[in-house]
C-alpha cells in the first residue's frame, strides 16, 4: 500500500491559460505605441461604438458560469492594483475534467449502515473492485460489523478489505477515490472524513432524495471503468472551514481533532475545534423557549443581530423528510450559513435561493426571523464570518455542522466561518450544469406545473 503525500489526481483544463496583460501604460512607465491621430495633444483611441480589434483580441470573453474575465484598465491611465494574495482562481466549469497522475489502486466505499437493500449492491461492487480490478478496498469497521453482512457468506471478499475507524485512523493518504452507496448523507459523511484534500467522490443513487448522487447503479461497471480511466467530468463543491472557539469554564475531555490554545499559560483559556462543512452551519436557539439573539460579524464588522422566533418547516428539511407545518426538532430559530451546495438543502426550506455549486459564494439565511425585512443574502466567498451570542442574550445557542457535531454555544464562545481551500471533487454523470438542473427537476420538481391549454379557433375570435 502506498503512503505517499503526493496527490494522484489533478484537474485537466481544456481552456488555454493566458497571462493577464499589463495593467496600463501608466504602471510600467512606458508608453505603448497607439495607431491613430493625435487630437488635442492626446492619442485618439477607439470610439465607444466601435471596439478595436486590438482591444477585443487582448481581452477576450471566456465561456464560464462566472461571466467574462474583467478588464482591469479603466480609461487611459487608471488600473486596478494587482493583488498577489488572490483568494481563488475561477475556472471554466466545462473544462473541469478528471485525470490521474498515477493509476488508482485503492478505493473507499461508503455504505449506508443498516440498510438491507444495499447489501447486494455492496457485495457486487466489492467483488468487481477486488477480483476484476485488483484494487484495495477500504471500508469502515462498523460496516463489516453490520449484522446483515456478518451473517452472509462474504468471507472470501472481506479478507481483502482494509478497515478503519472514524476519528481514530487517518486514511487521507491511502485512498485514491471514493464510491458512495446510499443517499446524500453518504456524500456528507465522506466529506467529514477528510479535513484537508478530498479524493474524487463517485456517488450512486441508492437512497431517498439523491440530489448529490447522480449515478444509477444498474450500469456501475462501465461507469466505474470510465472513472478509473480518467474519463469523467468533476464539479468542485466548495466547503466551509469552521472554527468553534469555547472558553474553558471547567475541565472536560477534549476531542482528539480539537486544537488547544494556551496563550502561554499553564491552563488553557480557550479550546478550538476546526471542521470542514459541505452543506451548512446551523446556529439555533436549541430547546429554549426564548428568542435567539446572535451577533453576526463580517470581516470584523458587526453587520446585524439575528433575532428569531420558532422554526416551522416550509416544505421539506435538509434530509427531505420534514413535512409542511412540522417543527424542526429541538432547534429553534437562528441563522444558516451555507455553501452553494447547501443552498438546496436546509437553506431552501428556509426561503433562500438555489445557487449553482460552481458559484463562489456564501449564503446567510435567517430561520424564521422576527423581522419582515431580514431576507437571505449572498456574500463573496472570500469574507470571514463570525457568530457570537449578544451580551444580553437570555439563553445559549446550539450549532450543528452538516447535521452532526451538535454542541452548545455560551456567551464568550465564537463560531468563525470562512471558505475552505479543500473542496469536494464530485464526479459528474454528464457535466456540472446538466447534472444540477436534472437534480432540480427530478428531486425538487422545480417549476413543475400543469400546462395551460391552448385556445381553440372559436375562442381566439373573442
Amino acid at each position: 500500500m502506498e503512503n505517499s503525500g503526493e496527490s494522484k489526481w489533478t484537474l485537466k483544463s481544456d481552456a488555454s491559460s493566458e497571462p493577464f496583460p499589463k495593467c496600463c501604460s501608466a504602471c510600467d512607465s512606458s508608453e505603448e505605441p497607439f495607431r491613430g491621430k493625435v487630437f488635442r495633444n492626446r492619442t485618439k483611441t477607439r470610439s465607444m461604438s466601435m471596439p478595436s480589434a486590438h482591444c477585443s483580441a487582448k481581452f477576450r470573453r471566456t465561456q464560464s458560469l462566472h461571466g467574462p474575465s474583467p478588464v482591469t484598465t479603466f480609461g487611459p491611465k487608471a488600473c486596478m492594483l494587482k493583488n498577489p494574495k488572490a483568494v481563488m482562481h475561477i475556472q471554466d466549469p466545462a473544462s473541469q475534467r478528471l485525470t490521474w497522475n498515477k493509476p488508482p489502486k485503492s478505493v473507499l466505499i461508503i455504505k449506508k449502515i443498516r440498510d438491507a437493500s444495499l447489501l447486494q449492491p455492496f457485495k457486487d461492487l466489492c467483488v468487481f473492485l477486488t477480483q476484476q480490478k485488483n484494487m484495495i478496498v477500504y471500508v469502515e469497521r462498523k460496516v463489516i460489523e453490520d449484522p446483515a453482512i456478518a451473517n452472509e457468506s462474504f468471507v472470501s471478499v472481506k479478507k481483502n478489505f482494509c478497515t478503519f475507524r472514524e476519528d481514530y485512523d487517518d486514511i487521507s493518504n491511502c485512498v485514491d477515490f471514493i464510491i458512495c452507496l446510499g443517499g446524500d448523507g453518504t456524500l456528507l459523511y465522506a466529506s467529514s472524513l477528510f479535513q484537508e484534500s478530498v479524493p474524487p467522490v463517485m456517488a450512486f443513487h441508492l437512497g431517498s432524495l439523491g440530489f448529490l448522487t447522480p449515478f444509477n447503479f444498474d450500469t456501475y461497471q462501465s461507469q466505474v471503468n470510465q472513472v478509473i480511466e480518467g474519463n469523467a467530468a468533476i464539479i468542485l463543491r466548495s466547503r466551509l472551514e469552521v472554527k468553534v472557539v469555547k472558553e474553558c469554564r471547567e475541565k472536560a475531555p477534549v476531542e482528539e481533532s480539537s486544537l488547544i490554545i494556551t496563550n502561554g499559560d499553564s491552563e488553557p483559556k480557550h479550546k478550538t475545534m476546526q471542521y470542514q462543512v459541505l452543506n451548512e452551519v446551523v446556529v439555533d436557539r436549541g430547546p429554549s423557549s426564548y428568542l435567539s439573539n446572535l451577533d453576526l460579524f463580517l470581516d470584523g464588522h458587526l453587520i446585524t443581530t439575528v433575532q428569531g422566533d420558532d422554526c416551522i418547516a416550509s416544505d421539506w428539511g435538509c434530509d427531505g423528510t420534514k413535512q409542511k407545518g412540522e417543527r424542526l426538532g429541538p432547534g429553534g430559530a437562528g441563522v444558516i450559513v451555507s455553501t452553494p451546495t447547501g443552498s438546496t438543502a436546509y437553506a431552501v426550506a428556509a426561503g433562500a435561493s438555489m445557487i449553482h455549486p460552481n458559484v463562489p459564494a456564501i449564503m446567510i439565511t435567517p430561520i424564521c426571523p422576527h423581522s419582515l425585512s431580514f431576507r437571505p443574502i449572498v456574500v463573496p466567498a472570500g469574507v470571514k464570518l463570525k457568530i457570537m451570542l449578544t451580551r444580553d442574550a437570555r439563553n445559549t445557542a446550539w450549532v450543528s455542522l452538516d447535521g452532526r457535531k451538535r454542541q452548545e454555544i455560551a456567551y464568550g464562545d465564537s463560531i468563525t466561518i470562512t471558505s475552505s481551500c479543500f473542496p469536494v471533487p464530485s464526479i459528474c454523470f454528464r457535466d456540472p450544469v446538466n447534472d444540477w438542473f436534472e437534480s432540480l427537476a427530478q428531486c425538487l420538481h422545480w417549476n413543475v406545473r400543469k400546462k395551460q391549454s391552448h385556445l381553440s379557433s372559436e375562442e381566439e375570435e373573442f
Side-chain angles (χ1 to χ4, degrees):
M1 173 171 49
E2 295 185 357
N3 191 8
S4 60
E6 62 177 352
S7 175
K8 294 185 179 180
W9 72 276
T10 55
L11 272 175
K12 178 170 62 177
S13 176
D14 296 334
S16 60
S17 59
E18 298 179 358
F20 281 106
K22 295 180 180 179
C23 286
C24 63
S25 59
C27 295
D28 54 3
S29 67
S30 63
E31 295 290 338
E32 293 182 2
F34 286 90
R35 296 180 180 178
K37 297 181 180 180
V38 178
F39 182 72
R40 291 185 181 179
N41 297 326
R42 287 185 298 179
T43 305
K44 184 178 180 182
T45 58
R46 62 182 178 90
S47 64
M48 297 181 63
S49 60
M50 184 64 67
S52 64
H54 174 76
C55 182
S56 61
K58 200 172 185 180
F59 304 107
R60 63 180 181 86
R61 293 178 64 93
T62 58
Q63 293 182 352
S64 170
L65 288 180
H66 313 298
S69 299
V71 175
T72 57
T73 58
F74 318 107
K77 293 188 177 181
C79 65
M80 182 182 295
L81 180 65
K82 291 185 177 180
N83 183 11
K85 298 180 180 179
V87 177
M88 108 177 19
H89 172 70
I90 300 175
Q91 190 180 20
D92 180 9
S95 65
Q96 294 176 177
R97 305 287 299 181
L98 175 67
T99 185
W100 300 100
N101 295 330
K102 295 180 181 179
K105 298 296 183 181
S106 59
V107 57
L108 168 63
I109 299 180
I110 303 294
K111 172 189 169 295
K112 189 176 180 180
I113 305 297
R114 299 180 183 89
D115 191 342
S117 63
L118 298 180
L119 180 59
Q120 191 60 42
F122 176 72
K123 292 173 58 177
D124 295 342
L125 180 62
C126 292
V127 170
F128 171 72
L129 292 173
T130 56
Q131 298 182 2
Q132 297 190 29
K133 309 306 292 186
N134 296 321
M135 302 195 71
I136 302 173
V137 175
Y138 283 83
V139 295
E140 198 170 3
R141 180 172 295 181
K142 60 184 180 182
V143 174
I144 300 298
E145 296 172 352
D146 190 351
I149 295 180
N151 297 334
E152 291 286 335
S153 57
F154 204 40
V155 181
S156 60
V157 179
K158 287 194 297 184
K159 66 181 182 181
N160 297 324
F161 289 165
C162 294
T163 61
F164 71 97
R165 295 173 298 171
E166 183 185 7
D167 296 332
Y168 286 95
D169 301 322
D170 184 13
I171 59 172
S172 57
N173 292 327
C174 304
V175 175
D176 294 335
F177 71 103
I178 306 170
I179 296 179
C180 296
L181 302 178
D184 294 345
T186 57
L187 184 62
L188 296 176
Y189 180 70
S191 170
S192 67
L193 296 177
F194 298 87
Q195 294 302 303
E196 292 186 355
S197 179
V198 184
V201 183
M202 184 180 189
F204 285 95
H205 178 32
L206 293 171
S208 54
L209 186 62
F211 195 90
L212 306 178
T213 54
F215 288 94
N216 195 328
F217 194 77
D218 295 338
T219 56
Y220 74 94
Q221 293 190 6
S222 61
Q223 293 170 346
V224 172
N225 282 328
Q226 289 185 356
V227 173
I228 295 176
E229 295 169 359
N231 183 20
I234 62 174
I235 180 172
L236 299 182
R237 299 186 179 274
S238 62
R239 295 196 291 179
L240 299 175
E241 181 179 298
V242 183
K243 293 182 181 179
V244 180
V245 181
K246 294 186 176 182
E247 292 185 353
C248 294
R249 300 172 180 85
E250 59 183 12
K251 292 184 178 180
V254 181
E255 296 184 16
E256 293 188 3
S257 60
S258 63
L259 174 66
I260 301 177
I261 302 176
T262 61
N263 296 327
D265 300 330
S266 57
E267 293 293 333
K269 301 297 183 182
H270 297 85
K271 181 178 67 173
T272 302
M273 292 162 287
Q274 182 170 313
Y275 307 92
Q276 297 285 332
V277 176
L278 177 59
N279 259 2
E280 73 273 303
V281 179
V282 179
V283 185
D284 56 59
R285 71 186 191 182
S288 175
S289 59
Y290 293 108
L291 295 177
S292 62
N293 288 274
L294 306 169
D295 286 337
L296 179 60
F297 298 85
L298 191 147
D299 289 338
H301 301 283
L302 178 64
I303 58 173
T304 190
T305 297
V306 180
Q307 181 171 281
D309 206 340
D310 201 5
C311 182
I312 304 295
S314 57
D315 285 307
W316 56 280
C318 58
D319 56 355
T321 59
K322 297 297 180 182
Q323 301 298 324
K324 189 172 183 179
E326 181 181 353
R327 293 182 183 273
L328 294 178
V335 65
I336 305 170
V337 180
S338 60
T339 63
T341 296
S343 67
T344 53
Y346 194 0
V348 74
S353 299
M354 295 180 289
I355 301 179
H356 191 276
N358 269 118
V359 179
I362 298 177
M363 296 189 64
I364 302 174
T365 306
I367 307 174
C368 293
H370 219 249
S371 171
L372 295 177
S373 60
F374 192 8
R375 311 309 305 162
I377 61 173
V378 179
V379 296
V383 303
K384 180 179 180 180
L385 299 174
K386 188 175 183 180
I387 301 175
M388 300 180 66
L389 280 176
T390 58
R391 183 178 297 273
D392 54 352
R394 294 186 177 185
N395 59 296
T396 61
W398 289 77
V399 60
S400 59
L401 314 166
D402 280 343
R404 308 176 73 226
K405 308 290 185 181
R406 187 168 176 83
Q407 50 194 293
E408 190 175 11
I409 302 297
Y411 179 74
D413 302 340
S414 65
I415 306 168
T416 304
I417 305 171
T418 57
S419 292
S420 173
C421 298
F422 304 102
V424 175
S426 181
I427 300 176
C428 302
F429 179 69
R430 291 186 179 88
D431 58 74
V433 177
N434 284 318
D435 282 9
W436 191 67
F437 280 100
E438 184 72 16
S439 297
L440 289 182
Q442 296 296 327
C443 301
L444 303 184
H445 302 289
W446 179 61
N447 197 28
V448 174
R449 68 178 298 272
K450 186 177 180 180
K451 292 185 178 181
Q452 187 180 32
S453 60
H454 68 280
L455 294 176
S456 62
S457 57
E458 292 80 5
E459 291 174 332
E460 289 179 355
E461 295 178 357
F462 296 97

